Amino acid sequence: MGGSRRLVILGKQGAGKGTQAERLADHHGVPRISTGDMFRAAVKADTEAGRRARSYMEDGELVPDEAVLDLVGERLGADDAQDGFVLDGFPRNVRQAEALEDLLGGGGVDLVLELVVPTDVVLERLAGRRVCTNCGTNYSIQHPPKTDWTCDRCGGTVVERDDDTEGAIKRRLALYERETEPLVAWYLAKDKLAAVDGTGHPDAVTTRLLRAVDARIGTSVVRQAPGRD
Ligand code: AMP
């Protein structure tokens, strides 16, 4: 795989996937690809894909695999994804994981990082979660943007997510256990899984993740300026 960085980040909602995927992607100079962000953008723009996905998202259910695979297939074909990516929110079940390996060819993904966070901690985090409506950057009541709920990255408005209601959160956690957790064993059997403690300060979690990537697929000197760590 040479310097390729085909990474997947797995974890319950509220485990910190969005924030950590963004940091990993920045560090490795590859895009973060979030299917949730792509669907939210499609809903906002009222596209065909958005209209199909909307009710599933509001109910905390998974959008049908075909719709997700179309979206991901197209995105992974883009120029900026050819040297690698960090997938966030995809795959969500074994069928999607199988489709991803087929789509990628050449050995499939390099490494899957499982962010391990206890359920009581994610529930507490979700209660304070906020997101930029424009670029999808995550914030929280504890870590807000610098100015008045305006995104530090793009200036977009930062709000609570529509699907962060109590009922939808419970459904999504149950869904994670049923559909997505089996992926941990699936990737483990392929020797592609690294479990990382996702509790504590976000910076400490990032350090653990970067170490896990370096330990498994080589020191990450790709596209880094000399002297940077
Ligand atoms: P997320 O931001 O990853 O929590 O995704 C928000 C919502 O988008 C989910 O609750 C699903 O309805 C939908 N979604 C995102 N990714 C997928 C996926 N890989 N498969 C099916 N539905 C998805």
Side-chain angles (χ1 to χ4, degrees):
M1 281 284 107
S4 155
R5 294 283 181 272
R6 294 163 153 189
L7 304 175
V8 170
I9 191 155
L10 281 185
K12 296 174 189 127
Q13 52 170 333
K17 289 192 301 291
T19 304
Q20 298 298 338
E22 194 71 56
R23 291 177 178 199
L24 274 176
D26 282 354
H27 181 87
H28 290 295
V30 297
R32 162 185 171 242
I33 298 180
S34 155
T35 43
D37 281 359
M38 288 164 81
F39 279 126
R40 275 184 288 279
V43 168
K44 199 173 156 200
D46 199 27
T47 64
E48 177 61 32
R51 281 192 292 275
R52 274 198 288 164
R54 179 177 222 138
S55 63
Y56 296 100
M57 295 175 74
E58 278 170 0
D59 292 344
E61 298 291 339
L62 291 185
V63 175
D65 288 340
E66 291 64 34
V68 187
L69 292 170
D70 281 354
L71 202 75
V72 171
E74 199 177 309
R75 182 64 187 86
L76 290 180
D79 285 351
D80 68 338
Q82 299 317 302
D83 287 339
F85 45 75
V86 180
L87 277 170
D88 164 10
F90 179 90
R92 283 282 230 278
N93 57 33
V94 171
R95 193 170 161 237
Q96 292 182 5
E98 284 167 349
L100 177 62
E101 299 289 285
D102 288 348
L103 205 69
L104 291 173
V109 297
D110 296 319
L111 186 64
V112 177
L113 297 147
E114 183 200 9
L115 265 186
V116 183
V117 180
T119 300
D120 55 336
V121 177
V122 299
L123 286 174
E124 198 178 305
R125 286 185 187 173
L126 286 169
R129 174 158 84 170
R130 301 292 182 270
V131 63
C132 171
T133 49
N134 187 45
C135 72
T137 298
N138 282 298
Y139 296 93
S140 68
I141 288 180
Q142 294 80 18
H143 300 104
K146 291 190 186 76
T147 36
D148 236 11
W149 302 108
T150 301
C151 181
D152 295 339
R153 277 178 179 257
C154 75
T157 311
V158 175
V159 299
E160 207 166 342
R161 268 173 54 162
D162 286 345
D163 58 353
D164 275 350
T165 61
E166 206 183 324
I169 286 172
K170 276 197 186 135
R171 271 194 297 280
R172 279 186 290 156
L173 280 174
L175 200 64
Y176 183 82
E177 256 175 50
R178 197 177 70 230
E179 297 278 328
T180 312
E181 221 147 64
L183 281 180
V184 170
W186 196 83
Y187 280 120
L188 197 61
K190 292 184 178 296
D191 197 25
K192 288 186 175 182
L193 191 90
V196 173
D197 177 5
T199 61
H201 194 281
D203 293 350
V205 178
T206 307
T207 303
R208 285 177 214 138
L209 285 167
L210 292 176
R211 282 201 188 126
V213 175
D214 286 351
R216 294 295 293 262
I217 54 175
T219 308
S220 50
V221 289
V222 183
R223 291 208 202 93
Q224 268 187 219
R228 230 182 87 185
D229 59 28

